[in-house]
Amino acid sequence: MSDEKKRILIIEDSDIFADVLMEVLSSSNYILERAINGFEGIKSVYRFMPHLIITDVEMPLFKGYQVTRFLKSRKNTKNIPVIMFTTLSEAKDKFWGTHAGADEYIEKSPDNFEPLINTISKILSTAHNIDFTAIERESKKINDNAIIETVNSMLDNKLFQTTVIGMLTELSGKATSLETVVKGIIDLLHTICESEIVSMFICGAKGTLHVYTANFSSFSAEIADDFSGICVFDFNNLFPDFKVETKNMKTFFPAGAKEKKITSYITIPLSIGGEKFASVHIANSINEYFSPGILENITVFLGAAAPIISNALSMRELSELQKNTRSAFARYVPADVMDEIIDKSSKMVNQSESRNVTVLFTDIRNFAKISENSLAQDLVDFLNNYFSQIGDKIISEGGHIDKFIGDAVMAVFGAVNVLENPMASAVRAALKMLDTLKNIDTSKIALKQGSLEIGIGINCGQCILGNIGFRNKMDYTVIGDTVNLASRLEGTAKIYRHPLIVSEYIYNETKDQFLFRKIDNVRVIGKEEPVGIYAVYSGFEETPGMSIIPALLVNRECLDNYNKGLQLFYMREWKPALEYFSNALEADKNDYLSQLYIKRTIDFSNTPPPENWDGVVTLSEK
């Protein structure tokens, strides 16, 4: 290996964290350089010629995924190792990081500085065939426009859809402010397609037109006015019957002094339920910038953003209606009485209470692979259909959907309305959700396993219910250990290869109403106290019951032998336990839990557990 000092490029938008990271690495005799965002990071690669790159994920202009995929897709830069060092720690984030080509993915925290240093040393100690001469030659052909065009074209069928879902999910929490939502969406547009100037026209109630503009590239007032005129002309063509009575206008970035001309322009209408309600106008100074690939990305993004904008508009108009109502009643209700009513209402916004509720989490199995191999618009259409059908099942049992998290759903039973047995309602809803999967059209998406599969976890207990957040962002939701355990149980559904798993607390309250099977006593991540977990079945293979869900049928003989084996297992009677588990597997050769306990029993018979063994398994996966 060469004695040349190794160069490390740090791509990090946080000044504080970049300074800390460079201080930590300064004692290791590396040559360090920092880029403040993904776009500058790509350009720095061709100038600084790093031996290794450390990049954050969430950054302005280009995210770490995009930077990594760009570099790993090019012949001359693909051998530069990339470490993603980020606060995003969910499994799907790690998947996309490694899928983009990252060599390592380390969660950003002070505790992980030492693992980071060790990883850097390990990577740099291995010889890498990086042709810096070729990178230098390529740098002469690389310019800003080429980088933007290449990065955007690479998002079409790979990272774009997942990135969009994540960004819009975060933004949807701010839907109480139309201005905040529109600014966020316009900023995201600028991120994904380098839009230099954008206008959004939104048709409100009673002829109110909301107009928002962002002049990112500081076009001169004259050019900005010309752009505005074109936007108005196109808006009038799209909405010939809309009569503008009042106009609310907001410019996020004012005109500047740049005289460069606009040479590319597009108009895209936004619709809800097939009805247009807004238009987005985007322009760029690059000739023929809006290629088919970039245009597809923009269209998919705006299609997913339209419901968020529409919801924010509805919230604004509702707020204005409340203000008008107050003014109308002010003539009949004394001001001090009105103030008292408003004061009480305001205090209620921040009130919370402890309540016993049931929480259900579900997500789609292998969704990352489905996203990777499916067209963006097909994926959006599928998700809308999927959410609609499983949402109906949740509502039919008295539950309400608390939030969508990418492809996951969190539902709560017994929080908003009184249910006779919210635990049983949640289990019934889960059975209905699994039963309805066969009715969901999956013809346009790529399913790895051939059929749509989901995992469901259910738990119950005390939660804090109320408006959670701060004055600019409030969610009426539930929080607490009960919610966290429900989320973890959904993850165990994948580990134990069963689609519906509930806690012992659900089992205790509903054991006379459903068919259960004890799986394990586990200690999940983030929870010290162990909990028993149970699989739920819809019936026996011989007598399926009210609905035939193949994944939820169990062989009666298998279950009988398994239950006897499990009792002996916890009594440390390894030999008879093994015999019963073997009988269970003989009754159903595909029974995964019998296979699991046969292995455990053999292991313990060879190497018995300590005397204080409590039968609890500590899970390392979420």
Side-chain angles (χ1 to χ4, degrees):
M1 189 176 88
S2 171
D3 293 332
E4 174 189 15
K5 280 189 176 182
K6 300 301 181 181
R7 298 179 294 274
I8 298 178
L9 174 63
I10 298 170
I11 309 176
E12 172 63 63
D13 62 317
S14 167
D15 292 337
I16 295 175
F17 207 89
D19 290 343
V20 172
L21 191 54
M22 294 188 78
E23 178 65 26
V24 168
L25 296 177
S26 62
S27 61
S28 301
N29 204 29
Y30 299 129
I31 300 174
L32 305 173
E33 180 163 316
R34 176 209 175 187
I36 61 173
N37 58 54
F39 185 51
E40 294 300 323
I42 291 175
K43 294 197 291 183
S44 295
V45 169
Y46 288 94
R47 177 182 49 76
F48 181 58
M49 308 283 182
H51 294 87
L52 182 142
I53 298 168
I54 302 172
T55 181
D56 193 5
V57 171
E58 291 296 325
M59 297 182 294
L61 295 185
F62 297 144
K63 297 184 181 299
Y65 302 142
Q66 298 166 273
V67 172
T68 303
R69 187 152 184 80
F70 175 90
L71 296 173
K72 293 295 185 178
S73 69
R74 305 186 77 82
K75 177 182 178 182
N76 298 324
T77 56
K78 67 180 181 181
N79 288 331
I80 300 176
V82 177
I83 298 175
M84 285 192 173
F85 194 48
T86 174
T87 54
L88 300 179
S89 60
E90 291 297 321
K92 65 180 181 181
D93 298 312
K94 294 179 181 179
F95 173 86
W96 284 109
T98 53
H99 182 76
D103 297 84
E104 294 287 345
Y105 193 108
I106 301 176
E107 185 176 351
K108 184 192 290 184
S109 75
D111 294 336
N112 282 341
F113 279 127
E114 185 174 347
L116 173 65
I117 292 171
N118 293 336
T119 301
I120 292 171
S121 178
K122 179 182 177 181
I123 290 176
L124 291 179
S125 66
T126 306
H128 292 282
N129 184 26
I130 304 174
D131 191 343
F132 290 115
T133 303
I135 294 175
E136 185 177 10
R137 285 198 303 269
E138 186 181 355
S139 69
K140 298 174 183 178
K141 304 175 184 178
I142 292 290
N143 56 47
D144 292 2
N145 293 341
I147 292 173
I148 294 167
E149 179 74 21
T150 303
V151 170
N152 277 289
S153 66
M154 293 172 64
L155 292 176
D156 291 346
N157 296 319
K158 300 294 181 184
L159 304 176
F160 180 75
Q161 187 58 42
T162 295
T163 304
V164 163
I165 289 174
M167 292 188 296
L168 289 177
T169 298
E170 180 181 354
L171 184 62
S172 64
K174 304 172 183 177
T176 53
S177 167
L178 179 61
E179 182 176 313
T180 302
V181 166
V182 171
K183 185 179 186 304
I185 286 172
I186 288 177
D187 285 343
L188 292 178
L189 261 179
H190 182 59
T191 298
I192 67 173
C193 76
E194 194 61 22
S195 50
E196 293 187 303
I197 187 168
V198 181
S199 275
M200 186 180 296
F201 288 60
I202 304 172
C203 302
K206 298 181 179 180
T208 302
L209 179 64
H210 305 278
V211 181
Y212 300 91
T213 302
N215 187 349
F216 291 105
S217 290
S218 300
F219 287 109
S220 68
E222 182 180 359
I223 293 174
D225 288 344
D226 289 343
F227 171 76
S228 178
I230 295 171
C231 295
V232 170
F233 179 81
D234 283 351
F235 172 81
N236 289 334
N237 285 335
L238 284 170
F239 300 92
D241 299 326
F242 186 79
K243 305 301 180 184
V244 180
E245 301 292 336
T246 58
K247 186 183 292 187
N248 295 323
M249 303 184 67
K250 174 71 176 180
T251 300
F252 298 119
F253 297 93
K258 291 186 179 179
E259 294 295 334
K260 60 181 179 180
K261 295 182 179 179
I262 291 174
T263 57
S264 299
Y265 167 83
I266 56 169
T267 299
I268 297 177
L270 302 185
S271 302
I272 291 292
E275 293 187 11
K276 296 191 297 287
F277 75 96
S279 62
V280 180
H281 311 261
I282 313 170
N284 195 286
S285 61
I286 301 174
N287 257 335
E288 300 180 356
Y289 176 76
F290 298 104
S291 64
I294 292 177
L295 187 57
E296 180 185 357
N297 287 344
I298 295 172
T299 303
V300 170
F301 171 77
L302 290 175
I308 298 175
I309 298 170
S310 176
N311 186 46
L313 176 64
S314 299
M315 294 296 289
R316 177 189 176 114
E317 291 177 345
L318 177 61
S319 177
E320 291 176 350
L321 177 62
Q322 290 172 338
K323 290 178 183 177
N324 293 336
T325 302
R326 185 190 190 286
S327 298
F329 276 94
R331 291 178 292 172
Y332 309 102
V333 180
D336 57 340
V337 175
M338 181 67 73
D339 290 338
E340 183 179 351
I341 293 171
I342 293 173
D343 183 58
K344 287 182 179 179
S345 299
S346 299
K347 288 179 180 178
M348 287 182 65
V349 169
N350 293 318
Q351 285 182 349
S352 60
E353 61 177 302
S354 178
R355 189 180 297 180
N356 197 305
V357 300
T358 300
V359 182
L360 178 153
F361 272 88
T362 181
D363 78 353
I364 299 172
R365 290 289 170 256
N366 299 307
F367 184 71
K369 275 291 184 184
I370 296 173
S371 301
E372 176 189 357
N373 296 314
S374 302
L375 294 177
Q377 189 59 57
D378 291 341
L379 192 65
V380 170
D381 292 342
F382 158 74
L383 282 175
N384 286 336
N385 182 28
Y386 166 76
F387 286 144
S388 174
Q389 296 209 40
I390 68 167
D392 286 345
K393 307 310 177 194
I394 291 169
I395 294 170
S396 72
E397 288 294 336
H400 81 272
I401 295 173
D402 184 272
K403 58 176 66 71
F404 296 107
I405 314 165
D407 63 300
V409 178
M410 172 183 166
V412 182
F413 296 77
V416 177
N417 49 347
V418 178
L419 300 174
E420 181 179 351
N421 188 331
M423 291 73 74
S425 296
V427 175
R428 283 195 298 269
L431 292 172
K432 289 181 178 180
M433 290 160 60
L434 290 163
D435 190 41
T436 200
L437 294 182
K438 62 180 181 289
N439 302 322
I440 297 175
D441 182 12
T442 59
S443 59
K444 293 185 179 180
I445 60 171
L447 291 175
K448 178 182 177 183
Q449 65 276 15
S451 61
L452 180 62
E453 295 180 1
I454 64 175
I456 303 174
I458 308 175
N459 185 38
C460 63
Q462 289 293 317
C463 291
I464 302 299
L465 172 67
N467 287 288
I468 310 297
F470 66 109
R471 61 189 178 90
N472 291 328
K473 185 183 187 301
M474 300 291 290
D475 286 325
Y476 190 76
T477 187
V478 293
I479 60 172
D481 189 57
T482 297
V483 179
N484 298 336
L485 180 55
S487 174
R488 297 293 182 259
L489 291 181
E490 181 275 314
T492 66
K494 179 164 53 178
I495 297 172
Y496 290 101
R497 304 184 188 181
H498 189 77
L500 175 53
I501 292 181
V502 303
S503 70
E504 62 187 38
Y505 314 116
I506 296 290
Y507 168 77
N508 291 335
E509 296 296 329
T510 61
K511 58 186 175 184
D512 296 330
Q513 302 181 49
F514 303 101
L515 179 60
F516 292 96
R517 179 186 193 180
K518 177 69 176 287
I519 295 178
D520 225 334
N521 294 317
V522 300
R523 184 178 290 107
V524 299
I525 292 177
K527 184 176 174 64
E528 289 300 320
E529 183 181 350
V531 61
I533 60 174
Y534 292 77
V536 183
Y537 294 91
S538 61
F540 294 106
E541 290 178 349
E542 303 82 1
T543 54
M546 62 177 182
S547 61
I548 301 176
I549 309 171
L552 293 183
L553 296 180
V554 63
N555 180 283
R556 188 187 298 270
E557 184 180 352
C558 174
L559 182 59
D560 288 343
N561 280 282
Y562 173 88
N563 287 337
K564 293 173 183 176
L566 196 62
Q567 288 179 331
L568 292 165
F569 178 82
Y570 286 124
M571 295 169 60
R572 304 170 69 105
E573 298 290 342
W574 313 125
K575 186 175 179 180
L578 180 59
E579 184 176 343
Y580 277 115
F581 288 137
S582 298
N583 291 339
L585 189 60
E586 186 176 343
D588 182 357
K589 64 180 180 180
N590 296 317
D591 187 60
Y592 173 73
L593 292 179
S594 295
Q595 296 173 7
L596 175 66
Y597 274 97
I598 286 174
K599 183 180 184 307
R600 287 185 183 178
T601 306
I602 292 173
D603 289 344
F604 281 150
S605 63
N606 293 329
T607 308
E611 290 299 321
N612 62 351
W613 174 69
D614 59 2
V616 175
V617 175
T618 299
L619 300 179
S620 58
E621 298 180 47
K622 289 185 178 181

